Amino acid sequence: MKPGSLFCLCFLLLVSGRSPAQTETQRPYWFTLERGKFYFRQGAYGDALIAFEDARNQRRDQFMRMRRDMITLLSAPEVRRLGDSLDLVEKYIAEERQLSAARALEELYYRVPRESLGGSALRIPDELERFKDYPEAEYWIGETYRVEGELGIALKQYQRTYELRDLLEAPGFVIPLLYRIADVHRLRQEYNEMENRLLEILEGDSLWSGGSGSFARAAMTRTLENDGINRFLTLYRYNKAEVLAAHRLLGFYYYASGRHGRAAEHLLFAFLIQNTILIEEITRNQFDYSFSTLDDLIARVRSRPALSGYPEDMEYYKTMYYLGTAFYGDGKLGPARNFWNFLNQHSESGEWHGRAAAQLARPAVERVLEMP
């Protein structure tokens, strides 16, 4: 029988297949968190905050109690004689029906591989203590303060969540969390901090931050400048949707602060990702579709109800306008006019249609009083 198998078999017999949460006399911390989310969605923010704080406290109490139980067990003379052998300690727990210790181990093994302990029983208390914090509860506490207008407190909660990111049940939540932190900094007009968080998101964008990133950006820009928008979108695709907002927001920010070259780089990536998403969505429903022109693509988008709201939701035309205007501010009139001409020919672009027409008549670097 493999190491640990005896413990697992005996534990299953002891608890009859129940999870640790089901053996608690009170509802588990994750249930309390979900109850808080229910209150939050109903707009009962006071009740939600109480539930989120209760969930945080429940989890801390549970793991610290399990830690104390394991320390008590490991301190027993008969267990100390077993040395630091995880196999022997597990066998003792099973044979002596040490239910509290068994539940603590089951909870720990749910979160870390048994092999990560290196066969050491003495590492168990420290590992249990490591999981006492509840980043999801910290985040939702922050959400509650945010909707109540307490941005300073909300920001501290989000930052606390980020510090605990290794404990998140869904590691992919780090990106939405960084967006939330960046947005609070934007609302507080802390633009340098906003910039730093958005750049942190882009650290995971291999095409942007990788060693070949600058070469790729230069090649894309040359294609757009020399061969136009349609050739650019024929040659290049990039579907990393999770970094779209970071590129777009950084582009707007750099434009507003007069750094037109950097703005154009980020908005170019945002524009490419937006169109890649649209092309892939159309291809998903029309397998023989291939991109020909941007005019044709937009006509297809307008004809599909599922995609018709995308340009507004993703600030598609706004991205195009500022990309063109950033190129102009960087001394590149050719690509700027290409974008303005497209917007001028498409009245559905709304505000950006009129602004593009004005730029074609009298090109200028707009005076921006605040971040767009």
Side-chain angles (χ1 to χ4, degrees), residues 112-119 123 127:
V112 299
R114 179 183 181 277
E115 294 74 20
S116 68
L117 297 179
R123 288 180 56 183
E127 287 295 301

Side-chain angles (χ1 to χ4, degrees), residues 4 14 56 69 116 173 199 215 217 240 292-293 309 314 322 327 341 353 362:
L14 288 175
R56 177 180 62 184
D69 290 342
S116 68
F173 184 67
L199 289 173
F215 175 80
R217 292 197 294 276
K240 201 171 179 64
S292 56
T293 67
M314 292 294 103
Y322 277 107
F327 271 127
N341 277 322
H353 165 75
R362 185 174 296 177

Side-chain angles (χ1 to χ4, degrees), residues 65 97 109 116 122 154 168 281 295 309 314 335 347 351 362-363:
R65 182 174 64 252
R97 300 179 64 86
Y109 293 162
S116 68
L122 296 179
L168 285 166
E281 283 299 317
D295 290 302
M314 292 294 103
S347 59
E351 171 191 353
R362 185 174 296 177

Side-chain angles (χ1 to χ4, degrees), residues 46-106:
D47 291 335
L49 182 60
I50 292 171
F52 296 143
E53 291 177 340
D54 284 347
R56 177 180 62 184
N57 295 336
Q58 281 179 249
R59 173 153 162 166
R60 181 179 292 113
D61 291 346
Q62 176 180 324
F63 277 89
M64 294 308 291
R65 182 174 64 252
M66 290 189 296
R67 178 179 183 273
R68 290 192 299 271
D69 290 342
M70 288 303 305
I71 290 175
T72 298
L73 179 131
L74 294 170
S75 300
E78 61 272 25
V79 177
R80 292 177 63 184
R81 285 195 291 269
L82 301 176
D84 191 22
S85 170
L86 182 60
D87 291 341
L88 294 178
V89 170
E90 287 179 342
K91 181 179 178 181
Y92 174 86
I93 291 171
E95 290 179 347
E96 299 299 322
R97 300 179 64 86
Q98 297 289 328
L99 290 181
S100 295
R103 291 165 187 153
L105 281 182
E106 190 204 22

Side-chain angles (χ1 to χ4, degrees), residues 149-170:
E150 298 287 348
L151 295 181
I153 301 176
L155 182 59
K156 289 180 181 178
Q157 287 299 128
Y158 296 146
Q159 290 170 335
R160 173 65 174 159
T161 305
Y162 187 65
E163 292 169 359
L164 300 172
R165 60 191 178 277
D166 290 342
L167 301 181
L168 285 166
E169 294 285 347

